[in-house]
Amino acid sequence: MSSILNFDQMFTHLRQLGRIVRIAVVDGIDASTIEALQRALNGGFAKVLFVGKCPDLEEHPTLGLHPDRVVHVPERQGLNAAETAVALIREGEADFLMKGLIHTSELLRAVLHKEHGLLPQGEVLTHIAVSQTQTHGKLLFFTDSAVLPEPNEAQRERQIDYAVAVTKAFGIPTPRIALTHFTEEVSEKFPLTLHYRQLAERARRGEWGNVIVDGPLDVRTSVDPVALAVKGITSPIEGRADVLIFPNLEAGNTFYKTLSFFGSAPIAGILCGAKCPVVVNSRGDDASSKFYSLAFAATVVAQS
């Protein structure tokens, strides 16, 4: 499998696989979600299961283009829509979840339920985004912009685990993972940089397999070989990072919104760590962003 370098190649890859993934859409849809799902259906890689509240499908004839791949799953007795959708995943009847009009907290309550949820013991829920920028020349993955406020050491290790799995699903043979900070100096003044150095050393010993991990690096030196050289920094990332691990939610979220608004970069995102990807786009996201996230999740599922 060749590396997927942009979103068009991601869509081509899904078409070539010929696999149809089953998307459980939880509790209603709005106009942008309808359009995103229509594009997924037209792309030939999706079957849509509307779980819980469902609009009259006759009001949305565009979804009738593939009547054999659009079904309504009512809530089960004693379960709400989120719990029903999670049960479908556990029973192998759906491949991943998409938030409809349900509140994110209610959906995640079902996903994180200790007995009947989707988070295996020892795993953490974290957000991984992927963006196609004008200058990087390949897809750029980054975490976390939505879930973990201040990742602890164990959670950051899991973020690397998930980043490796996601990039491998995109055919990247040797993922380059940059641990970002505002400085490239390792200092006791900034304890996080000490942990970064430990992670880089563990990666060099092969703990994550054929993966390069290094840091601390700032965003520019992570993705710009010229900036790295000008600063006189030697790093195995070589200014060609595939993944940026941000120190906290504030940094990751700011980067996400800066790319999308000021950079006009298309971005997709999924929650990782559970037994399946979870698409939890904001209701303010447009149809393209939601569609890209569906294709992102489908790519990860298809390689699992």
Side-chain angles (χ1 to χ4, degrees), residues 83 86-87 90 110-111 113-118:
E83 292 166 340
V86 165
R90 291 175 63 92
V111 170
H113 193 281
K114 290 184 178 180
E115 294 182 28
H116 308 297
L118 299 175

Side-chain angles (χ1 to χ4, degrees), residues 49-198:
L49 289 72
F50 291 111
V51 184
K53 295 178 184 177
C54 181
D56 185 347
L57 296 181
E58 293 180 0
E59 294 179 6
H60 305 291
T62 54
L63 293 179
L65 292 174
H66 303 279
D68 59 322
R69 287 195 272 130
V70 176
V71 298
H72 179 211
V73 181
E75 295 178 358
R76 296 182 180 180
Q77 185 175 4
L79 301 178
N80 62 28
E83 292 166 340
T84 299
V86 165
L88 291 175
I89 298 292
R90 291 175 63 92
E91 295 164 5
E93 299 298 321
D95 295 303
F96 67 89
L97 301 177
M98 180 184 193
K99 181 172 83 87
L101 298 181
I102 191 172
H103 289 296
T104 301
S105 59
E106 186 177 350
L107 175 60
L108 294 187
R109 190 177 302 117
V111 170
L112 297 174
H113 193 281
K114 290 184 178 180
E115 294 182 28
H116 308 297
L118 299 175
L119 190 69
Q121 186 175 3
E123 303 298 331
V124 300
L125 203 64
T126 191
H127 187 265
I128 294 182
V130 58
S131 179
Q132 180 178 310
T133 68
Q134 295 181 0
T135 57
H136 194 46
K138 58 181 177 178
L139 293 173
L140 181 64
F141 299 82
F142 59 96
T143 188
D144 179 323
S145 64
V147 180
L148 296 174
E150 294 285 345
N152 59 33
E153 292 187 1
Q155 291 170 336
R156 190 165 290 106
E157 291 169 17
R158 295 275 80 77
Q159 288 179 329
I160 294 175
D161 291 340
Y162 306 147
V164 170
V166 166
T167 51
K168 293 290 189 180
F170 278 70
I172 300 172
T174 307
R176 298 169 182 263
I177 300 177
L179 308 171
T180 67
H181 206 271
F182 72 86
T183 178
E184 292 89 2
E185 298 289 336
V186 177
S187 170
E188 292 183 356
K189 293 181 180 180
F190 307 109
L192 180 56
T193 66
L194 301 177
H195 185 225
Y196 279 179
R197 182 51 51 90
Q198 293 171 6

Side-chain angles (χ1 to χ4, degrees), residues 4-5 16 48 69 219 239 278 296:
I4 297 171
L5 301 178
Q16 291 175 342
V48 180
R69 287 195 272 130
V219 170
V278 183
F296 182 13

